[in-house]
Amino acid sequence: MAGNSGFKDISPTTLADVLGRTQVMDIGIRPLWPAVPRVAGPAFTVRCPPGDNLMLHAAIHRAAPGSVIVVETGGDVDYALAGGNVCAVAQRRGIAAFVADGVIRDLAEVRALGFPVFARGVIPVPGTKSAVRPLNVPVRCGGVEVQAGDIVVADEEGIVVTPRDRQEQVLLDARAKVAGEAGESLDAWEAAHRARVEQILAEGGFEG
């Protein structure tokens, strides 16, 4: 099995090129404070109904260190899933990040902690705690189907999910792409790029 740590050296841009659009979360889920470092780790999946955050609060005590907790909320932006204390406990337990199809609160505290949160935004209104749901079931977050153990890579460029049963091959393909690009000068890239663009234009009947 490929090491999860190997993915931290691969940008979401490269992974998107390898995996395609379906594994990239939509742009509404974004880092909530500037210069968030790249995170990579296995998904620990959580499903919270709109307005309720119980299972995320349960997950921080159950997810293994290094996990990225991925939360499905149905796109709820009216009630916060978590605040400063929840993020502080998650950080203390070694959780790598939250990726949530929802919102949080206490952003100033979270930013001061340096805890990576990727979500739809911030609202000061807390959710309730009543809806018991199973953990580590398939969820949908940012338009991507995520299963427990899938590898999540997130930074300011975006969030990409590598299916757990494809991680070895994806990592090999991504490393090969990085190596190939590293060995190509900008002059060589420009020449190949222009040739390809001109060929497409000619085949399309463009004149000019």
Side-chain angles (χ1 to χ4, degrees):
M1 189 174 186
N4 299 332
S5 61
F7 278 86
K8 198 163 186 178
D9 298 327
I10 307 296
S11 72
T13 302
T14 298
L15 289 171
D17 288 345
V18 172
L19 286 162
R21 178 66 186 87
T22 59
Q23 296 306 120
V24 181
M25 292 192 187
D26 71 57
I27 63 170
I29 301 182
R30 60 194 185 279
L32 292 190
W33 48 272
V36 171
R38 182 179 300 152
V39 297
F44 187 99
T45 58
V46 178
R47 186 176 291 157
C48 291
D52 196 284
N53 59 33
L54 175 66
M55 296 317 298
L56 172 58
H57 291 228
I60 65 171
H61 300 289
R62 289 163 173 79
S67 299
V68 176
I69 294 183
V70 179
V71 190
E72 173 188 319
T73 72
D76 176 31
V77 293
D78 292 322
Y79 296 93
L81 286 163
N85 285 343
V86 170
C87 291
V89 171
Q91 184 180 55
R92 187 162 65 181
R93 295 205 65 256
I95 304 303
F98 289 166
V99 174
D101 201 350
V103 292
I104 69 160
R105 66 181 193 159
D106 300 332
L107 180 59
E109 293 179 31
V110 176
R111 182 173 58 241
L113 287 168
F115 182 68
V117 177
F118 300 79
R120 293 202 180 274
V122 181
I123 198 167
V125 185
T128 60
K129 296 174 181 59
S130 61
V132 177
R133 298 288 187 273
L135 293 168
N136 274 332
V137 296
V139 300
R140 188 169 183 82
C141 185
V144 178
E145 298 291 336
V146 185
Q147 298 196 47
D150 288 351
I151 304 301
V152 180
V153 177
D155 67 14
E156 62 186 1
E157 300 291 340
I159 306 160
V160 184
V161 180
T162 298
R164 59 189 178 187
D165 59 355
R166 295 176 58 193
Q167 61 175 292
E168 289 188 27
Q169 188 59 53
V170 168
L171 191 56
L172 286 172
D173 292 347
R175 284 174 170 165
K177 181 174 176 57
V178 169
E181 290 173 349
E184 182 180 44
S185 69
L186 180 59
D187 287 343
W189 184 91
E190 181 184 8
H193 174 261
R194 181 168 185 177
R196 179 168 177 263
V197 169
E198 294 301 330
Q199 179 181 353
I200 295 169
L201 289 173
E203 289 172 353
F206 177 79
E207 296 180 5

